[in-house]
Amino acid sequence: MTQAPAPPRAIRRQHDREIVTLAVPAFGALVAEPLFVLADSAIVGHLGTAQLAGLGIASALLTTAVSVFVFLAYATTAAVARRVGAGDLTSAIRQGMDGIWLALLLGAAVVAVVLPTAPSLVELFGASDTAAPYATTYLRISVAGIPAMLVVLAATGVLRGLQDTKTPLYVAVAGFVANGALNVGLVYGAGLGIAGSAWGTVIAQCGMAAAYLAVVIRGARRHGASLRPDAAGIRASAQAGVPLLVRTLSLRAILMIATAVAARLGDADIAAHQIALSLWSLLAFALDAIAIAGQAIIGRYLGAGDAQGARDACRRMVQWGIAVGLLLGLLVILTRPVFLPLFTSDSGVKDAALPALLVVALSQPISGIVFVLDGVLMGAGDGPYLAWAMVLTLAVFTPVALLVPVLGGGLTALWGALTLMMTVRMVTLWLRARSGRWLVTGATR
């Protein structure tokens, strides 16, 4: 960002209120999502080891499939927020409906691909002979809920764009409670086993999608927005999502390469890596909540034609990202001795994880800047730059990570490579923010 006088204290307080109002409920909704898998694991785990292994494989496949389409939330948030800023709520909701229709089409395509290929996909993941049937059963049933899951992503983007992160929190909590109750009833009460867990999750997901659709449809009727699919609008939503898809796939590739390298370092290192990665992902929820607020706030300012307001909000959110990153890093350093025994009693795993967690802690302020600026540029609709920057980051990270085992480096060196990756991201995003080229105002970019 180019240097400019700091905004008055009253404006900073206004930004703080907006950030807190949007970020806190967003954080709650983000945390509720992984609890679905934890609840399923806790319930299915009592059926047997093979069933739990099957659930783990199927869940990994489903999570990957859904995470690829997270652009449905990101692109929709930015597009809707711009129109809200421009004062055109009818157009904003119409744009949101285009995103929802795109989600349904993509969901149908995923079902058509996964349903007949479920056994092959499970085999590709290296499932054992005992776990494979359970994984296939769970996957074939759960894939029916993919369209609903993608609708939830798109509709969440609509509400975030409308500056509403409380409704997604309420829906996520209700969905989690319903999922748990349905799983217990169908797995044990109805005696359906792992199939009951899958059906319970599908029903909960469909209920969440229905709740979102009810809110969006009510808003559409209130503002006279059409609910019918519009080919041009759906195509525009897809085009806006392509760069974000490239960004997401590049990030997934980075994480997969890191896991593959850790596996080559030995059993203790891959176990410690999983612990460090789990903590890193948990910390990301707090930072991602600020990024979500950034998507909604920046889109609204730019839609209203207020470039200076967007710049000031960006500056304040970066300060928030650094502060939260410092706090999270300090918490990790202080709680490492308490945190590790929750996951392992193996001294070798602990010895590998302790220095790696220190690297995770020290990198949190960098992560804070990265997440915030990522959200800011998403809110500005700057997807092509984000895609290019992430591909560049992948190109830098890959050779460095692959050299870790070659040069005899351990897990700490691998997490040093991951910190380098985040530093490259920070530099590319900071340069873009400073350039001001993302400050494109108007109802559409």
Side-chain angles (χ1 to χ4, degrees):
M1 292 168 292
T2 56
Q3 295 297 320
R9 182 175 299 179
I11 294 179
R12 293 200 299 272
R13 288 177 178 172
Q14 176 188 339
H15 291 321
D16 291 344
R17 285 195 298 270
E18 289 181 330
I19 293 168
V20 171
T21 299
L22 292 171
V24 172
F27 174 70
L30 288 170
V31 171
E33 291 173 7
L35 293 179
F36 272 74
V37 177
L38 287 177
D40 288 359
S41 299
I43 293 167
V44 171
H46 291 287
L47 294 175
T49 301
Q51 288 91 332
L52 183 58
L55 172 66
I57 293 167
S59 294
L61 284 164
L62 290 165
T63 300
T64 300
V66 173
S67 66
V68 165
F69 297 112
V70 72
F71 69 84
L72 289 166
Y74 294 158
T76 304
T77 298
V80 171
R82 274 185 175 271
R83 288 161 175 78
V84 168
D88 189 354
L89 287 177
T90 300
S91 178
I93 296 174
R94 173 66 262 179
Q95 180 67 39
M97 284 304 306
D98 291 335
I100 290 173
W101 280 112
L102 176 62
L104 286 170
L105 291 173
L106 292 173
V110 172
V111 172
V113 171
V114 173
L115 201 57
T117 61
S120 299
L121 292 171
V122 168
E123 183 180 355
L124 185 65
F125 261 59
S128 67
D129 292 339
T130 54
Y134 296 111
T136 301
T137 296
Y138 191 92
L139 183 59
R140 277 183 163 162
I141 296 172
S142 293
V143 75
I146 289 286
M149 294 172 73
L150 298 189
V151 166
V152 167
L153 282 177
T156 299
V158 176
L159 295 181
R160 288 174 181 171
L162 293 171
Q163 317 297 296
D164 176 8
T165 55
K166 290 183 179 178
T167 299
L169 172 61
Y170 300 150
V171 174
V173 171
F176 169 71
V177 173
N179 178 67
L182 286 166
N183 269 258
V184 171
L186 294 174
V187 171
Y188 299 112
L192 296 179
I194 195 169
S197 176
W199 280 118
T201 301
V202 168
I203 294 170
Q205 289 163 347
C206 290
M208 291 171 66
Y212 275 117
L213 288 174
V215 173
V216 174
I217 289 172
R218 184 167 65 246
R221 288 175 175 168
R222 183 184 306 123
H223 297 286
S226 173
L227 298 174
R228 290 179 298 180
D230 176 68
I234 294 173
R235 186 164 55 251
S237 294
Q239 289 172 346
V242 169
L244 296 180
L245 175 61
V246 172
R247 168 201 167 275
T248 300
L249 290 175
S250 299
L251 179 57
R252 296 290 298 184
I254 287 170
L255 297 178
M256 289 176 65
I257 290 169
T259 300
V261 170
R264 294 177 61 187
L265 298 175
D267 290 347
D269 285 298
I270 184 61
H273 175 71
Q274 185 58 38
I275 294 172
L277 187 61
S278 297
L279 177 61
W280 186 85
S281 300
L282 178 63
L283 298 175
F285 286 133
L287 299 173
D288 203 25
I290 305 174
I292 288 170
Q295 294 171 30
I297 293 170
I298 295 299
R300 192 190 73 232
Y301 272 115
L302 294 178
D306 187 356
Q308 186 58 48
R311 191 187 297 275
D312 292 342
C314 175
R315 180 186 292 107
R316 191 58 176 167
M317 280 183 281
V318 168
Q319 293 170 354
W320 270 79
I322 294 172
V324 173
L326 286 169
L327 177 61
L328 293 176
L330 181 61
L331 287 174
V332 172
I333 291 173
L334 294 176
T335 60
R336 279 186 307 158
V338 179
F339 177 77
L340 275 175
L342 298 176
F343 287 86
T344 182
S345 58
D346 189 315
S347 59
V349 175
K350 289 181 180 179
D351 290 342
L354 273 172
L357 289 177
L358 180 60
V359 176
V360 171
L362 295 176
S363 69
Q364 286 309 295
I366 296 173
S367 296
I369 296 172
V370 169
F371 275 82
V372 167
L373 291 180
D374 211 35
V376 165
L377 296 183
M378 282 184 191
D382 205 10
Y385 182 85
L386 291 172
W388 173 86
M390 189 61 78
V391 170
L392 173 65
T393 303
L394 173 61
V396 172
F397 170 78
T398 300
V400 174
L402 295 179
L403 281 173
V404 168
V406 174
L407 298 178
L411 186 65
T412 304
L414 176 59
W415 273 93
L418 283 166
T419 301
L420 172 64
M421 177 271 293
M422 292 300 288
T423 303
V424 172
R425 290 187 68 192
M426 180 183 70
V427 171
T428 57
L429 295 173
W430 184 259
L431 289 174
R432 185 64 168 183
R434 283 183 61 87
S435 73
R437 293 177 184 173
W438 56 280
L439 291 165
V440 180
T441 57
T444 58
R445 183 178 171 87

